[in-house]
Amino acid sequence: MALARIARANFRKSKGAYGSYASEKDLFKVGGYTSIRDTTSHVNFNSDEKFSYVPTIKEHNCVNFAMRGISGTPYYRFPSANAQTVVEESESELENDQRRYAGLEATKPGEKPRVVVLGTGWAACRFLKGLDTKIYDVVCISPRNHMVFTPLLASTCVGTLEFRTVAEPVSRIQDALAKDPNSFFFLASCTGIDTGKHEVYCEAVNNGELPREPYEFKVAYDKLVIAAGAEALTFGIKGVEENAFFLRDVNHAQEIRKRLLLNLMLSENPGISEQEKKRLLHCVVIGGGPTGVEFSGELSDFITTDVHERYTHVKDYIHVTLIEANEILSSFDVSLRQYATKHLTKSGVRLKRGVVKEVHSKEIILSDGTKVPYGLLVWSTGVGPSKFVKALNLPKSPGGRIGVDEWFRVPSVEDVFALGDCAGFLEQTGRPVLPALAQVAEREGKFLVELFNKIGKQNGGKAFSAKGTPLGEPFVYKHIGSMASVGGYKALVDLRQSKDAKGLSLAGFLSWMIWRSAYLTRVLSWRNRLYVAVNWATTLVFGRDNSRIG
């Protein structure tokens, strides 16, 4: 029966061609080359009108292409009817044999070792920026081709800044990705890792333009750096994924802006009841951390300086509510938390304590039964491990992140490192898992790239070649402080090294100047620094743009 199923499957694939080769061509296009794979089959008819299938596999040598070092993987062809050996295999095994992907093969002796980086967040981009490309070839794999300057992301939602001011193309951070013949950026998501073969398996971001969907390929590595970030925590609450907006990427900010402006314009239509106007223009923010507070502050500024002037018919209906289970800005000094509470309340932000039980399309239900209608819901309750990280068969730290030692090596596997929001210290290191902050990720990326450059200079860059190489002092993180804007030209600056330590704490206009100056200097490129400065000046003079595009 298995043989019959196989024969029928191949009959369908060969479009009914019996007694001769039938060809199915799959085109693989990566970096400008095309590889053609022929899958052939042969069916013999016996005198009793029964047929037999001959699936003996013959492997052909792979075809090498000169286009930036990419080569096709081996492909398989089934032999003619003269073959004597019959191999039984299931349809799924046959399908697996037929699915061979183009990719980057392992580096050869004499070639530079290849470092594969998964992600384009703070940790990954700081690592990419400092990597010595005279020692290494580098391949970056991510579903986005830019880094997002997250501290200023909330400002883009209301038009204080343009979206491009917070996006830094990864090819500007590490120009080898665009210029070096054996370094690449692939717009794709990693779907699996084979640590034994030193290969990662990827699925390209595809809109139907590629020869097949999903379009999959593999990349061999000498060293692998996993910096794939994290996902927003929803705590399994029903309806969050479907109805809430998150604020972690540029496309999130774009969607929030479109919804906010749409609701403002819809609420001006004739025949809309007062109750519906209040719901449409009720902006609810869940989570009182720095992101939630800064977004609430930006919204309150937008309402007081722009909505009241340009949407006079509905200006009295728009409100912002910030819901937090405990206290807002819990990691900040007590006096700063009190200042933020007073200032936000004075700015018109309604602060409410509560735990969300369920989210519907037009209202939130809290654990005490309270129903909160909304028109815009922004969810900002922290981050946790992504589905990709959870699926990896690697050691895990407390909280589910990838477990690492003091040098960000993943124990029990060779040449694999992890850093950023997706990584945390293992329990046996005796160190706590660090918070998912930009400054933590950036500091980790700087440490690891210095380690890689050191290993490379000692000829330890190739796979399995770093054993016995001295690594130097382990990573030690020192917190340099926290900052948060609360709107109205006010901000908080907490320079304590830890929550329980003593240190300088500031609030008010001076803190706002420090906040803006610090973030302006931290923007990666001079181009984006200029964009940010010009946008701030334009907003101060002319107000925020309220065009709804898209």
Side-chain angles (χ1 to χ4, degrees), residues 33-348:
Y33 85 95
T34 303
S35 170
I36 300 179
R37 181 188 64 190
D38 291 326
T39 303
T40 59
S41 59
H42 195 89
V43 181
N44 290 335
F45 277 90
N46 300 327
S47 58
D48 57 359
E49 296 186 352
K50 295 182 179 179
F51 57 83
S52 62
Y53 175 66
V54 187
T56 305
I57 297 175
K58 178 182 178 183
E59 180 176 342
H60 287 239
N61 293 327
C62 64
V63 181
N64 293 320
F65 295 83
M67 182 62 70
R68 298 187 72 188
I70 301 180
S71 65
T73 54
Y75 64 97
Y76 296 89
R77 169 168 289 176
F78 297 99
S80 66
N82 296 326
Q84 300 297 318
T85 306
V86 177
V87 181
E88 292 189 10
E89 58 185 1
S90 67
E91 286 187 50
S92 60
E93 290 171 335
L94 177 64
E95 186 68 18
N96 288 335
D97 282 333
Q98 291 175 341
R99 293 179 68 83
R100 299 291 170 180
Y101 309 121
L104 297 182
E105 303 296 336
T107 56
K108 298 178 176 62
E111 294 180 341
K112 289 190 290 186
R114 181 187 299 135
V115 177
V116 174
V117 181
L118 305 180
T120 51
W122 281 85
C125 287
R126 183 60 185 86
F127 177 87
L128 287 168
K129 182 179 180 181
L131 190 66
D132 189 345
T133 52
K134 294 179 181 178
I135 301 174
Y136 296 101
D137 288 325
V138 59
V139 174
C140 180
I141 301 168
S142 175
R144 70 182 188 198
N145 72 338
H146 57 273
M147 172 191 165
V148 179
F149 194 81
T150 48
L152 297 178
L153 192 58
S155 299
T156 66
C157 298
V158 295
T160 306
L161 295 175
E162 293 296 326
F163 297 111
R164 64 179 177 177
T165 62
V166 299
E168 191 70 48
V170 69
S171 59
R172 288 182 179 267
I173 297 171
Q174 177 51 265
D175 60 3
L177 295 171
K179 296 179 180 179
D180 285 8
N182 293 315
S183 293
F184 303 90
F185 172 80
F186 294 135
L187 193 70
S189 298
C190 182
T191 56
I193 302 171
D194 190 327
T195 56
K197 292 182 179 180
H198 273 50
E199 292 177 345
V200 295
Y201 303 98
C202 308
E203 183 178 313
V205 174
N206 193 354
N207 62 353
E209 295 297 324
L210 295 174
R212 67 177 184 277
E213 190 171 344
Y215 189 90
E216 298 172 297
F217 58 92
K218 68 177 182 180
V219 178
Y221 64 84
D222 290 292
K223 296 286 189 286
L224 174 64
V225 177
I226 305 173
E231 292 181 353
L233 276 176
T234 63
F235 306 100
I237 297 172
K238 182 180 178 182
V240 175
E241 292 280 355
E242 297 82 3
N243 300 300
F245 291 96
F246 303 102
L247 189 52
R248 293 183 51 77
D249 214 334
V250 174
N251 66 304
H252 297 158
Q254 290 172 329
E255 292 300 320
I256 290 171
R257 176 173 172 79
K258 286 196 290 185
R259 174 63 67 86
L260 176 62
L261 295 176
L262 176 64
N263 287 355
L264 277 166
M265 289 180 280
L266 289 179
S267 62
E268 289 190 307
N269 287 332
I272 303 295
S273 65
E274 287 200 6
Q275 183 177 0
E276 186 64 10
K277 283 183 182 179
K278 290 179 180 179
R279 184 195 68 79
L280 278 171
L281 298 178
H282 188 200
C283 305
V284 177
V285 182
I286 307 296
T291 301
V293 168
E294 289 188 341
F295 179 70
S296 300
E298 288 284 352
L299 266 180
S300 68
D301 280 355
F302 177 63
I303 292 168
T304 55
T305 60
D306 296 274
V307 171
H308 285 184
E309 179 183 344
R310 302 177 190 180
Y311 297 92
T312 55
H313 298 97
V314 295
K315 65 180 183 180
D316 297 328
Y317 295 94
I318 186 167
H319 294 288
V320 181
T321 299
L322 176 60
I323 300 177
E324 167 58 42
N326 300 302
E327 291 187 25
I328 65 170
L329 301 173
S330 58
S331 63
F332 281 68
D333 182 72
V334 175
S335 61
L336 295 183
R337 294 203 300 265
Q338 293 173 347
Y339 180 91
T341 300
K342 291 179 181 178
H343 179 77
L344 288 172
T345 303
K346 185 178 178 180
S347 301

